[in-house]
Amino acid sequence: MGPQGATRNLHAHAEALTDEAAATGDRPTLVAALTHLVHSYSFGGESTRTSVPFLRLLRMYDEDPADFGEDDVHRLHWMFKWVVADARQQPDVPLPEVEGWLARMRRGYRTAGYSQRAVYGAEFRLARHVGDAARAARAYAAWTAAARDAMADCLACEYATEGLRQLDLGDDRAALDGWEPVLSGTHGCHREPHETLARSLLPLVRTGRTDQARAHHLRGYRLVRSGEACGPAIGLHVEFCALTGNEPHGLRILAEQDRRWTETGDPLDHLEWLVGAALLMRRAVETGHGERPAPGPPGGTWTAAALLDHARESALDLAARFDRRNGTTAVSDRARARMAAAPLMAELPLGGTRPPSPTPHPHAPVPDSGLGLAPDSSSSPLDRARLCLALAQSLTPSDDGSGPRAERLLTDAAYFAGLPGGSPHVSALARLRLGGLHCEAGRHEEAAAVLESVLPDLKDGIHSADDRTRAHTWLARSYLHTRQPALAAAEFKRAAETARDSPDARHEEASLTQRAAQALSLAGQPAEAARTYERAEELWRALGEHGALVRALRARAWETLTAHGLAAADTVMTEALDTNRHHAEETEQDPERTELHVELGRTHVQLARLAMEHADGPPLVEWGTHEQYAANVRAFDTALGHTEQAIETLRACGGPALADLHPTELLAARLEFVLGRHERAASRARGLAAAVRERPDPDGTLAPLAAECDLLAGAGPTRPQPEAVPPRTASPATPGPHAR
């Protein structure tokens, strides 16, 4: 089912819930259902329908406010902002009716005791829309002067509004400064930074900050590409492509977003899409490609010239409807100006991938790679592509400049391989290597953009399983670094499935499966993470890699705790201990034997952490009931027992266990202190401090440990408090319960 079908189903579900709620006769339930329906329409591309359920809510509130809880009242007033905005979006809603909603919002806020700040913000946006510059200036001044309260937009949206005002005044730098808290990630919401990233693109190019513009495009488009209500932002990304020499990239966006042609439920948003598409097609026609196929509305065959006519006429017709409603020419003037905009630069490379020229000269010169190695000008595009690819693969990225040189060569290889007479196979390989180069260099936004584009071109039976595995793995790593763990998990899973096709990649399949589980944990999906760890365990067990098996079991225990509770987690962690002990005793060969005994020490530490989960806090007599105090003592005693077993096991391992031994000894001292055994805690701490200070500490990691020992031993200025025992998520022996 496509996105439109899914959205229609959501609307239908919300409508059915409303009917069911009305049939019950329970008015508070109906309030909740109508609120859900307003949200569904406003944020699901059906803003023309928002006002009907909202009016019903207002009537119910006037009839009996007691049907509305405190949160319901807050949401009712908050939704005024949606209804005013949605009315503005519809050219068939008369302007007096839009103004009427704004006036009703003003009265409602005043009656409820709210500030007029949100009202002035809505008035500012309406004035901008109709082209009333004087009213916009007055509303903006009143908005900034009014107090922030519970009805004010979030800070991210307010910063976005400030930047828009500066953009209206023609000051790109001030606009970018105003947007900085949103662009930097300091403030955000469900709409931001998505929209501001798109708005910032052209101001960044105009002010010469092209690297930042590229990064904002790559990051911003990924944020909005699947959003139902993101048509305007996507239109701005298309506009950016058209004005920076990236018309082929813009065409790929049009092809991917073909559903936008028929998503007309929010006409003002649809206008933004049409304007961006028309501008892109104008650039295609101006550069001599008017007869090339173009991705237009579904159901037809389009050339760039035909699509230009369709998009421009549709945009101007829609803009004229708004102008007739508004009594101005502002919407049409803005649309015409944007569709006629001149390019800002000849070419701004996006992620290093340069699209093939539609009409290349058969003997086009090889771009300068900086190596002084160019093939004969009579060589074919495929020969040139292969040579550039071979030269790039002979280089190793390093600080001596070979990384940038390899990037240039791979870009050229992709370029030539995409020309007539080239090879899609070689083009895909070059772009794959380029994506990997970006990933290894930490340029994860660019890496993701390149790898997303190349994955559909990597074909089973043509490209090796190893190459396809690398593509999914690099993309997963880039998603992790750009804080998209759910997407990373999906790519790690695909990488593992692909690795299964390679006869020598069984270890890689297991490792990638475990990384998928880690990403699922970061994405807040503990049940799915536990299932994926279980799959990793099967793979490690089949490989006979017992240390990795134990680590996967321990990790699954923590995910099981979150998903299924303490008893289930105890069962899995006990399985980890039994498995660890068995293989540690059975294995005779070093270094595996030592590895498994170090893991056994770590498993006992994890068991200690899990034992503390059975308590509701440190065992303090003055806290809670006597029964709870006794339960807390038992839990911490059990934890201390496992910690002592860990210390004994780690000491027997010698040097390989030192990194785990001293933090585990500190944990034992902390537990002794919390259990009220202060002298024993002090004795442990003094011995540990002496041992630590005898060791070299080149990176300064041991000094804080020794300082805490001094506190526990009573040598510091203050005694540690019982609650200083760290929670399980800050294990001193490992990075945390999820340590792998």
Side-chain angles (χ1 to χ4, degrees):
M1 179 183 297
Q4 281 186 290
T7 302
R8 282 194 295 270
N9 279 351
L10 288 174
H11 294 330
H13 179 64
E15 291 160 359
L17 286 176
T18 303
D19 291 341
E20 291 173 13
T24 67
D26 185 89
R27 288 172 63 89
T29 300
L30 181 57
V31 167
L34 286 167
T35 300
H36 175 60
L37 186 58
V38 172
H39 185 279
S40 174
Y41 287 157
S42 187
F43 290 91
E46 290 289 347
S47 62
T48 187
R49 305 170 69 182
T50 306
S51 62
V52 174
F54 184 67
L55 273 171
R56 192 173 176 185
L57 280 168
L58 288 178
R59 284 196 298 269
M60 291 179 68
Y61 185 66
D62 290 340
E63 290 165 2
D64 192 352
D67 292 331
F68 291 71
E70 183 178 346
D71 289 343
D72 296 324
V73 173
H74 181 275
R75 279 191 290 267
L76 180 71
H77 287 85
W78 187 271
M79 286 189 292
F80 264 117
K81 295 190 282 189
W82 305 348
V83 174
V84 171
D86 290 348
R88 188 182 73 241
Q89 284 261 23
Q90 302 294 330
D92 296 331
V93 176
L95 189 61
E97 185 175 328
V98 183
E99 295 282 8
W101 277 115
L102 184 64
R104 193 163 184 171
M105 177 183 180
R106 180 174 286 110
R107 290 194 303 272
Y109 277 32
R110 186 177 294 116
T111 301
Y114 291 122
S115 164
Q116 293 289 299
R117 187 178 181 93
V119 180
Y120 288 126
E123 183 178 6
F124 168 68
R125 286 182 282 274
L126 176 59
R128 288 184 77 243
H129 168 67
V130 302
D132 189 339
R135 185 184 182 188
R138 291 193 302 272
Y140 181 83
W143 172 72
T144 57
R148 276 185 57 81
D149 67 351
M151 281 298 117
D153 290 340
C154 73
L155 284 172
C157 288
E158 291 213 338
Y159 282 123
T161 301
E162 289 180 19
L164 278 179
R165 176 60 179 162
Q166 298 305 320
L167 206 60
D168 291 345
L169 297 174
D171 193 335
D172 286 333
R173 295 186 186 280
L176 292 167
D177 288 344
W179 288 329
E180 181 57 29
V182 179
L183 298 175
S184 66
T186 303
H187 295 286
C189 65
H190 73 284
R191 301 177 68 98
E192 299 293 351
H194 312 44
E195 295 181 0
T196 298
L197 283 167
R199 292 190 190 106
S200 73
L201 296 173
L202 297 185
L204 285 168
V205 176
R206 289 193 291 260
T207 55
R209 295 154 67 175
T210 53
D211 287 345
Q212 200 171 349
R214 177 194 301 112
H216 283 198
H217 168 65
L218 295 173
R219 175 189 175 202
Y221 179 63
R222 280 205 309 282
L223 289 174
V224 300
R225 67 192 305 176
S226 301
E228 289 296 317
C230 294
I234 292 171
L236 291 171
H237 283 281
V238 172
E239 182 178 25
F240 165 78
C241 292
L243 298 181
T244 57
N246 286 290
E247 293 88 349
H249 185 65
L251 286 169
R252 286 196 291 273
I253 294 177
L254 285 192
E256 184 179 64
Q257 300 289 335
D258 61 343
R259 70 184 189 278
R260 303 285 174 187
W261 293 105
T262 55
E263 287 180 351
T264 57
D266 291 330
L268 198 57
D269 287 355
H270 188 57
L271 177 61
E272 297 287 327
W273 163 256
L274 291 170
V275 166
L279 173 60
L280 182 68
M281 291 302 98
R282 195 205 90 211
R283 291 293 303 139
V285 171
E286 288 176 350
T287 52
H289 310 305
E291 298 309 310
R292 289 199 55 147
T301 301
W302 300 89
T303 63
L307 188 57
L308 167 61
D309 291 341
H310 171 79
R312 182 166 52 197
E313 289 172 10
S314 298
L316 291 175
D317 286 348
L318 186 52
R321 289 175 60 196
F322 279 106
D323 285 340
R324 285 193 295 273
R325 189 272 301 270
N326 299 337
T328 67
T329 61
V331 177
S332 295
D333 291 345
R334 283 194 295 266
R336 285 194 177 91
R338 287 175 57 196
M339 290 189 290
L344 297 176
M345 58 190 306
E347 181 183 6
L348 173 59
L350 301 177
T353 54
R354 176 173 45 183
S357 169
T359 54
H361 190 281
H363 301 302
V366 178
D368 180 15
S369 66
L371 296 172
L373 298 172
D376 183 84
S377 61
S378 63
S379 59
S380 71
L382 181 55
D383 290 336
R384 301 180 198 181
R386 285 173 171 161
L387 176 58
C388 290
L389 183 58
L391 289 171
Q393 291 174 328
S394 71
L395 296 172
T396 301
S398 65
D399 294 334
D400 65 2
S402 59
R405 280 184 285 168
E407 180 181 334
R408 287 195 295 273
L409 284 163
L410 290 169
T411 300
D412 292 342
Y415 171 73
F416 288 122
L419 297 176
S423 164
H425 170 73
V426 174
S427 173
L429 284 180
R431 288 182 288 134
L432 169 63
R433 302 290 187 269
L434 183 62
L437 193 69
H438 289 327
C439 181
E440 299 298 341
R443 294 160 60 183
H444 294 290
E445 299 284 358
E446 295 175 56
V450 174
L451 293 164
E452 285 171 345
S453 72
V454 79
L455 267 169
D457 299 332
L458 296 175
K459 306 298 184 184
D460 188 11
I462 299 175
H463 298 91
S464 71
D466 287 345
D467 280 334
R468 288 180 284 122
T469 300
R470 288 190 193 99
H472 289 299
T473 303
W474 281 327
L475 183 55
R477 287 172 52 192
S478 293
Y479 281 150
L480 278 182
H481 282 278
T482 54
R483 298 184 180 89
Q484 301 176 87
L487 293 179
E491 292 302 323
F492 277 130
K493 282 188 174 182
R494 293 186 184 108
E497 291 165 1
T498 307
R500 195 179 306 154
D501 298 334
S502 180
D504 301 319
R506 293 172 63 210
H507 180 280
E508 189 171 15
E509 180 188 358
S511 177
L512 289 166
T513 301
Q514 185 134 334
R515 295 187 73 177
Q518 293 168 345
L520 286 164
S521 176
L522 291 172
Q525 301 179 40
E528 183 61 28
R531 285 191 290 272
T532 307
Y533 275 122
E534 198 163 10
R535 169 60 181 156
E537 291 161 28
E538 296 171 3
L539 296 168
W540 292 126
R541 191 176 285 110
L543 288 167
E545 297 206 18
H546 304 127
L549 169 61
V550 169
R551 289 189 288 273
L553 277 162
R554 291 197 308 250
R556 176 159 67 95
W558 291 109
E559 300 304 327
T560 301
L561 173 66
T562 305
H564 305 297
L566 195 50
D570 284 337
T571 299
V572 179
M573 194 67 84
T574 300
E575 182 185 353
L577 178 64
D578 293 342
T579 302
N580 201 162
R581 276 178 174 160
H582 170 74
H583 291 298
E585 292 168 0
E586 292 291 318
T587 303
E588 297 179 357
Q589 297 292 325
D590 269 337
E592 185 183 5
R593 186 175 186 279
T594 299
E595 176 200 358
L596 287 168
H597 278 86
V598 171
E599 291 298 342
L600 185 56
R602 292 171 177 166
T603 302
H604 276 298
V605 171
Q606 299 277 313
L607 278 158
R609 295 284 164 191
L610 194 56
M612 284 188 275
E613 293 291 331
H614 287 264
D616 68 349
L620 299 176
V621 176
E622 60 270 25
W623 287 4
T625 65
H626 176 75
E627 290 77 11
Q628 187 59 56
Y629 168 73
N632 291 350
V633 169
R634 286 194 300 273
F636 276 72
D637 260 332
T638 301
L640 180 58
H642 281 297
T643 306
E644 288 174 331
Q645 291 182 70
I647 292 169
E648 180 181 351
T649 303
L650 293 169
R651 279 179 179 163
C653 295
L658 274 179
D660 294 280
L661 175 60
H662 293 327
T664 305
E665 291 174 319
L666 176 59
L667 175 59
R670 288 170 169 171
L671 289 168
E672 295 273 28
F673 185 88
V674 172
L675 285 164
R677 304 162 191 170
H678 295 166
E679 290 307 317
R680 291 176 63 175
S683 176
R684 283 183 185 270
R686 283 192 293 270
L688 178 56
V692 165
R693 289 192 169 101
E694 289 177 1
R695 288 184 56 195
D697 189 18
D699 56 2
T701 56
L702 295 177
L705 191 151
E708 185 169 351
C709 287
D710 289 340
L711 285 173
L712 283 166
T718 60
R719 297 283 285 180
Q721 297 301 307
E723 59 267 29
V725 172
R728 66 172 176 85
T729 52
S731 167
T734 63
H738 302 292
R740 310 295 188 243

